[in-house]
């Protein structure tokens, strides 16, 4: 069975995925993995997919359903550390298999809220030298002081982060009481963005040149981002701000380098054409 057929069998009818969005033609162009937040409803990825369709994005689109479903609600998804790492391992395997059968095609990761944490965990599990092209952490439910360098090493071009001071209910009170995805009782990066951790090695600090952050402002209302938690998954935001980046264009000015770090120069896209190596650690 080809990878295209295997992915179609897995995705069609699951988590709102469709055969059209996982067609062999789309897989030939590239692959977007989208992960929703805790609770397992997958509304956000469907909205994002709609916006990318409006922008005529040619890539395959895979909704990776990582959570325990609505019955698990957000408590289990937040606190099942071992289970979340296993699911991140499964996504890492999908990335490796896609790159093996479709060498040189771009791979993108988009994670919203708890899904942003899962994107970080997945990137950390990829083998040395294996990279995706671009990652998006939309209102990520992660500790703002988390060292992102281990994940950023596996991003070729840039990692884009969005946050909003209006997201105080979930990314302020919610994560402070119930913890972030990485187990910290603190406000989430989805509220305040990431800060540069102290005492970084020179190598880790260099990885932060790939990070771009966007703070919500009123100009984003016209694209459907109203300043709350779910606005970053709106079709309009995907169409106006995510799709141009996926197409290889320059990011909008709202995305800025982290304070104290010079932005990275663009690097050539395309994944390595060699078969993907065995992944380090984690369950298979």
């Amino acid at each position: 069975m080809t990878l295209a057929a295997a992915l179609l069998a897995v995705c069609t009818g699951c988590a709102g995925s469709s055969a059209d969005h996982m067609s062999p033609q789309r897989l030939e162009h590239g692959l977007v993995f989208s992960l929703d937040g805790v609770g397992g409803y997958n509304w956000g990825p469907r909205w994002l997919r709609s916006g990318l369709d409006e922008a005529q994005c040619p890539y395959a689109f895979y909704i990776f359903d990582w959570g325990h479903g609505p019955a698990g609600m957000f408590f289990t998804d937040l606190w099942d550390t071992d289970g979340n790492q296993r699911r991140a391992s499964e996504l890492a395997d999908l990335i490796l298999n896609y790159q093996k059968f479709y060498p040189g095609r771009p791979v993108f990761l988009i994670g919203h809220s708890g899904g942003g944490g899962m994107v970080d965990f997945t990137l950390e599990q990829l083998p040395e030298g294996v990279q995706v092209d671009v990652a998006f952490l939309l209102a990520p439910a992660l500790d703002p002081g988390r060292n992102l360098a281990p994940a950023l090493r596996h991003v070729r071009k840039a990692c884009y982060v969005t946050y909003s001071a209006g997201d105080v209910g979930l990314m302020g009170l919610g994560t402070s009481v119930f913890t972030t995805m990485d187990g910290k009782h603190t406000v989430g990066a989805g509220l305040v963005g990431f800060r540069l951790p102290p005492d970084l090695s020179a190598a880790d600090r260099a990885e932060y040149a790939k990070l771009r952050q966007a703070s919500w402002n009123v100009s984003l209302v016209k694209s459907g981002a109203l300043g709350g938690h779910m606005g970053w998954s709106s079709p309009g935001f995907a169409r106006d701000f995510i799709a141009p980046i996926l197409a290889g264009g320059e990011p909008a000015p709202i995305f800025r380098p982290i304070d104290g770090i010079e932005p990275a120069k663009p690097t050539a896209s395309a994944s390595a054409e060699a078969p993907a190596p065995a992944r380090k650690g984690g369950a298979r």
Side-chain angles (χ1 to χ4, degrees), residues 44-140:
R46 292 186 181 94
W47 298 336
L48 288 169
R49 186 177 65 191
S50 176
L52 295 182
D53 283 348
E54 285 185 47
Q56 299 183 343
C57 179
Y59 306 118
F61 192 95
Y62 184 112
I63 299 176
F64 187 76
D65 194 9
W66 63 273
H68 296 76
M73 296 302 291
F74 58 86
F75 298 108
T76 306
D77 288 350
L78 273 177
W79 297 336
D80 186 8
T81 302
D82 291 341
N84 290 342
Q85 290 294 337
R86 286 194 297 271
R87 295 296 280 150
S89 171
E90 294 169 13
L91 178 52
D93 282 340
L94 284 176
I95 293 169
L96 291 171
N97 284 329
Y98 177 77
Q99 291 181 336
K100 177 180 178 180
F101 286 95
Y102 292 90
R105 277 68 162 191
V107 176
F108 310 98
L109 298 181
I110 305 176
H112 177 257
S113 191
M118 292 298 293
V119 166
D120 178 82
F121 303 157
T122 298
L123 290 169
E124 289 180 351
Q125 292 204 34
L126 289 172
E128 183 177 354
V130 173
Q131 294 178 309
V132 304
D133 287 77
V134 172
F136 290 87
L137 307 181
L138 309 177

Side-chain angles (χ1 to χ4, degrees), residues 165-180:
D167 198 356
V168 68
L170 290 175
M171 292 293 103
L173 180 62
T175 55
S176 295
V177 173
F178 298 111
T179 79
T180 58

Side-chain angles (χ1 to χ4, degrees), residues 154-275:
H154 299 282
V155 178
R156 178 172 295 104
K157 294 182 178 179
C159 176
Y160 297 93
V161 176
T162 63
Y163 64 96
S164 171
D167 198 356
V168 68
L170 290 175
M171 292 293 103
L173 180 62
T175 55
S176 295
V177 173
F178 298 111
T179 79
T180 58
M181 287 288 289
D182 47 345
K184 305 293 185 180
H185 289 278
T186 181
V187 299
L191 181 73
V192 297
F194 289 102
R195 59 178 179 267
L196 200 64
D199 303 321
L200 285 176
S201 68
D204 281 2
R205 186 180 178 88
E207 293 297 332
Y208 273 82
K210 300 173 185 174
L211 194 68
R212 306 285 189 280
Q213 302 197 102
S215 174
W216 182 86
N217 64 71
V218 71
S219 71
L220 300 177
V221 169
K222 63 180 180 293
S223 294
L226 305 182
H229 190 62
M230 295 304 298
W232 302 116
S233 291
S234 69
F237 186 80
R239 178 195 64 228
D240 296 342
F241 293 94
I242 296 179
I245 294 172
L246 299 187
E250 287 295 314
I254 62 167
F255 290 105
R256 298 175 180 175
I258 195 167
D259 288 345
I261 297 291
E262 287 294 319
K265 291 183 170 62
T267 59
S269 60
S271 304
E273 296 194 2

Side-chain angles (χ1 to χ4, degrees), residues 4-40:
L7 287 175
L8 281 169
V10 170
C11 295
T12 302
C14 297
S17 295
S18 68
D20 176 64
H21 287 92
M22 289 298 296
S23 68
Q25 293 79 13
R26 284 180 174 266
L27 286 165
E28 284 287 346
H29 286 285
L31 180 54
V32 178
F33 290 96
S34 183
L35 293 81
D36 204 8
V38 299

